[in-house]
Amino acid sequence: MSPSQIIVLATPVFLALIAIELAVGIRRQRNTYHLADAVSSISLGALSQTSAVFTRLLRIGIYTALFEQVALWRNDAFWTSLPGWLLALVFYDFCYYWLHRMGHESAVLWAAHAVHHQSQDYNLGTALRQTSSGALLGWVFYVPMALAGVPPLVFGVVALIDLLYQFWVHTEQVGRLGWFDRWFCSPSNHRVHHAVNDAYLDKNYGGILILWDRLFGTFKDEDAQEKCVYGTRGRLDSWDPVWANAQVYAGLAHDSWHARRWGDKLRVWLKPPGWRPADVAERFPKPAFDIAQMPRFNPAMAPATRWFACVQFALLLAGISVFLWHADSAPLAHNLAWFAALLAVQWALGAVVQGRIGMLLALMIEAGALATATSAVGWTEWHWFFKPLAMVIAIILIAFNALSIGDKSQFDAKPWATMVLALVLSLAGDVFLMRNGFFIPGLVSFLGAHLAYIALFRRGVPWFAHRGAMAGTLAVGAAMYAFLWAGGLPAALRGPVAAYVLVIALMAAQALGRAQVLGSSAARKVAAGACFFMLSDSLLATHRFVQALPMAQFWVLSTYYAAQMLIVWGWLRNPSPLQADATPGAGAPECAAAIPAALDHPRAVATRAG
């Protein structure tokens, strides 16, 4: 049985224990859960497991190679005896202590580990909140075990034991445990580790044994007079799983890029978290951390959104379980396609919960992701269902938003009708391109869609307002057309394809010019969508007329749905170019519904840095 399958089997146990902790907290009137935070934490844990399918070489492969080549002492019989197993577990926990400690003392390692600390809650759900990038450098700390000759099987088992042990210590429902707290990592000890209070910061790194902290001077006892405040001092303030993993890396890259001294560019990554070159700190100042001034990040959710999030989350966990169960026997290309689809669903769920997008836009994203994945793995019948569904949802989304406009005296139906026309023509193009022998009708349909988009992007702004953008897109289009011609573009298609290339280049130029004039994030999303359209069509034409591309359907469809999603999202945020951006959640009417709010309680707690 693979490690991924073990995680799948353990997941119901984790969820059952989370449910028990929730029930105990509610009964004691000390509930430590918020719905959005719990969904985010468990989703990040799931992402760490799905991404681990591709990083197993770093976690186990490098260890195995080192064991085979440089082990100083080989005695498998000893390591598989009871004393050997116990010694290996203690050895692993010792190495883990130093990995964990350096994860707080070196910025590049903290960038990976910070994900686990971002939650402002402390509960069993937080235990599942794990990094997706820890394997990149974490394997280095276990090299001593390979040198000592600990077999890979023993290493893998004790690693799993050490990880599973740490699940139960993430709770506020278990108090002090007397002598146990003196020797082992316990809930009390680990609460201190997760706190950002000055007195508690960077303490108690032990995984199973707290003995290491006592030996190396990093132990701190929990003080009943100082309540732990959880999270990180660099606020995340987001339910986006991608940004949660990238936030610290992005900050380090920013400071490294702007540092004037070459030595500082490197030191940014190696120094303790929070260290910044003096010149960077002066140009880009950050406010000093104040534990009393850090509000809880918990955007309000309508009842319908809560229901939607719960259902989507249940379906997401089911999909992830199926993926993990079959991942070790599936082709790499299939794993990549399904991983990307699951990640898109996770991102959409986080965006809905945060109020960045509405439910219908999330469904459009998910349908597009499933259309892409089912095409990439050859599930033709399901692909034929999801591909048109994505655009049908987009059309419904636009129609609902048009109908929901309250002030009909100010309502201009023309741009809304133009947007619907572009989406209907895109839907027709999708259907035609799914059928053999209908390439020309599909090309004509998308040509009409792009013309409609050009007309839409023209409203309220000049024609091709950014001349450089127009010259650039036309140059890219001309280069692409020359490439297709040289690659064997059929003579009968040279005219239609030339017209298509010209129109899509002009669409991108108009969208880029619109973004330049309006200067809004909504207009930039639309412009990015237009550029993704150019990329998608270039990939499709290259694959069809020049050379077959690996995973062509995946790349063509993923960029196509990214284009449509960005255009719809950006346009709905600001359908009138004469107004400022609409509210982030615009574009998804909420239906009335009721839901128990046990996971979204109003308990007053000490807030902390996100």
Side-chain angles (χ1 to χ4, degrees):
M1 181 172 292
S2 71
S4 296
Q5 291 175 328
I6 293 173
I7 293 297
V8 172
L9 295 177
T11 297
V13 178
F14 294 149
L15 296 179
L17 292 172
I18 287 172
I20 292 171
E21 184 191 28
L22 172 63
V24 169
I26 293 173
R27 183 170 182 176
R28 292 177 173 178
Q29 297 185 339
R30 288 195 290 115
N31 181 22
T32 58
Y33 282 88
H34 292 78
L35 175 61
D37 188 276
V39 168
S40 176
S41 290
I42 299 173
S43 178
L44 281 162
L47 177 59
S48 75
Q49 291 301 316
T50 54
S51 62
V53 169
F54 309 101
T55 59
R56 190 163 293 128
L57 176 62
L58 292 175
R59 293 182 295 119
I60 299 297
I62 293 179
Y63 182 91
T64 301
L66 289 171
F67 170 80
E68 295 290 348
Q69 299 298 323
V70 300
L72 301 178
W73 181 63
R74 297 286 293 270
N75 190 340
D76 290 6
F78 167 75
W79 290 112
T80 53
S81 67
L82 180 58
W85 281 104
L86 292 175
L87 179 59
L89 183 58
V90 173
F91 196 172
Y92 182 92
D93 200 57
F94 175 75
C95 295
Y96 173 82
Y97 167 85
W98 286 105
L99 167 61
H100 200 180
R101 180 170 174 173
M102 293 308 297
H104 286 249
E105 296 182 1
S106 174
V108 68
L109 296 175
W110 170 248
H113 183 57
V115 177
H116 181 60
H117 284 262
Q118 289 163 343
S119 173
Q120 293 179 276
D121 291 332
Y122 187 77
N123 50 50
L124 295 179
T126 307
L128 300 180
R129 186 186 187 103
Q130 298 292 332
T131 178
S132 296
S133 61
L136 298 177
L137 295 174
W139 61 270
V140 173
F141 290 84
Y142 300 104
V143 170
M145 295 185 70
L147 293 175
V150 179
L153 175 62
V154 176
F155 171 78
V157 171
V158 297
L160 185 61
I161 293 171
D162 205 274
L163 177 65
L164 292 177
Y165 173 88
Q166 295 176 55
F167 175 75
W168 80 280
V169 303
H170 292 80
T171 181
E172 293 190 77
Q173 304 301 337
V174 177
R176 302 296 296 272
L177 297 176
W179 68 269
F180 190 89
D181 291 337
R182 292 193 292 274
W183 292 91
F184 295 95
C185 178
S186 65
S188 175
N189 292 333
H190 206 61
R191 284 194 289 270
V192 168
H193 175 70
H194 272 256
V196 294
N197 312 54
D198 288 339
Y200 296 150
L201 197 65
D202 298 335
K203 302 295 183 185
N204 298 1
Y205 297 112
I208 294 179
L209 297 172
I210 206 67
L211 177 65
W212 311 123
D213 292 281
R214 294 184 181 275
L215 287 175
F216 298 113
T218 54
F219 177 76
K220 175 66 179 177
D221 217 354
E222 185 178 24
D223 186 349
Q225 302 304 313
E226 182 164 6
K227 183 176 177 61
C228 293
V229 179
Y230 304 110
T232 57
R233 292 191 168 194
R235 294 174 58 80
L236 175 64
D237 288 353
S238 175
W239 304 132
D240 183 338
V242 178
W243 181 241
N245 278 281
Q247 180 204 23
V248 179
Y249 288 110
L252 294 175
H254 172 274
D255 287 356
S256 180
W257 176 263
H258 288 284
R260 293 192 177 96
R261 296 184 179 90
W262 284 101
D264 285 344
K265 291 180 182 293
L266 177 62
R267 279 190 283 271
V268 162
W269 300 89
L270 302 179
K271 285 280 192 176
W275 182 87
R276 308 179 77 202
D279 58 311
V280 175
E282 182 180 357
R283 280 187 290 161
F284 306 98
K286 292 181 179 180
F289 173 73
D290 183 354
I291 198 170
Q293 301 295 323
M294 305 300 288
R296 168 174 289 280
F297 179 73
N298 189 34
M301 284 191 289
T305 306
R306 293 195 190 117
W307 276 112
F308 180 86
C310 290
V311 173
Q312 288 281 295
F313 186 56
L315 294 174
L316 174 64
L317 289 182
I320 288 171
S321 297
V322 173
F323 170 77
L324 290 175
W325 191 263
H326 295 284
D328 288 335
S329 59
L332 176 61
H334 289 193
N335 281 341
L336 287 170
W338 285 119
F339 171 77
L342 291 169
L343 181 58
V345 174
Q346 287 179 275
W347 183 89
L349 176 59
V352 169
V353 171
Q354 191 170 334
R356 297 177 65 193
I357 65 174
M359 292 181 287
L360 280 173
L361 184 55
L363 291 175
M364 175 192 171
I365 294 169
E366 293 167 2
L370 290 171
T372 302
T374 51
S375 175
V377 303
W379 292 10
T380 305
E381 292 80 4
W382 284 106
H383 173 66
W384 286 355
F385 172 75
F386 286 115
K387 189 174 185 183
L389 178 63
M391 300 315 299
V392 168
I393 294 173
I395 294 167
I396 295 172
L397 171 59
I398 298 299
F400 275 20
N401 274 269
L403 293 174
S404 66
I405 294 176
D407 188 359
K408 298 300 182 183
S409 64
Q410 301 295 320
F411 177 66
D412 183 358
K414 188 173 181 179
W416 295 89
T418 305
M419 174 60 100
V420 169
L421 175 62
L423 295 174
V424 168
L425 289 170
S426 295
L427 173 60
D430 285 342
V431 173
F432 281 130
L433 291 182
M434 287 192 297
R435 310 296 298 178
N436 290 330
F438 286 85
F439 179 76
I440 292 298
L443 190 70
V444 172
S445 297
F446 276 113
L447 184 66
H450 295 321
L451 289 170
Y453 277 136
I454 291 174
L456 190 68
F457 302 158
R458 166 64 179 83
R459 294 185 60 81
V461 297
W463 283 111
F464 310 114
H466 194 285
R467 302 303 178 189
M470 184 170 72
T473 55
L474 288 175
V476 170
M480 189 65 208
Y481 185 72
F483 173 71
L484 296 176
W485 183 298
L489 182 66
L493 293 177
R494 289 172 183 171
V497 170
Y500 187 90
V501 169
L502 176 62
V503 169
I504 195 171
L506 292 176
M507 182 192 77
Q510 184 62 34
L512 290 166
R514 178 177 181 268
Q516 180 71 17
V517 171
L518 299 181
S520 65
S521 62
R524 287 191 290 271
K525 286 183 175 65
V526 171
C531 292
F532 267 110
F533 246 129
M534 288 192 71
L535 175 60
S536 180
D537 287 333
S538 297
L539 292 170
L540 174 62
T542 300
H543 177 71
R544 187 177 184 91
F545 300 121
V546 180
Q547 182 177 355
L549 300 176
M551 295 183 65
Q553 287 299 308
F554 174 81
W555 299 115
V556 170
L557 289 175
S558 61
T559 50
Y560 167 69
Y561 286 116
Q564 295 284 23
M565 183 275 290
L566 286 167
I567 290 174
V568 170
W569 186 15
W571 190 79
L572 281 176
R573 283 177 59 100
N574 187 12
S576 172
L578 301 179
Q579 299 173 353
D581 283 5
T583 56
E590 305 284 3
C591 60
I595 184 173
L599 288 181
D600 205 19
H601 63 90
R603 174 173 66 89
V605 296
T607 57
R608 72 175 304 167

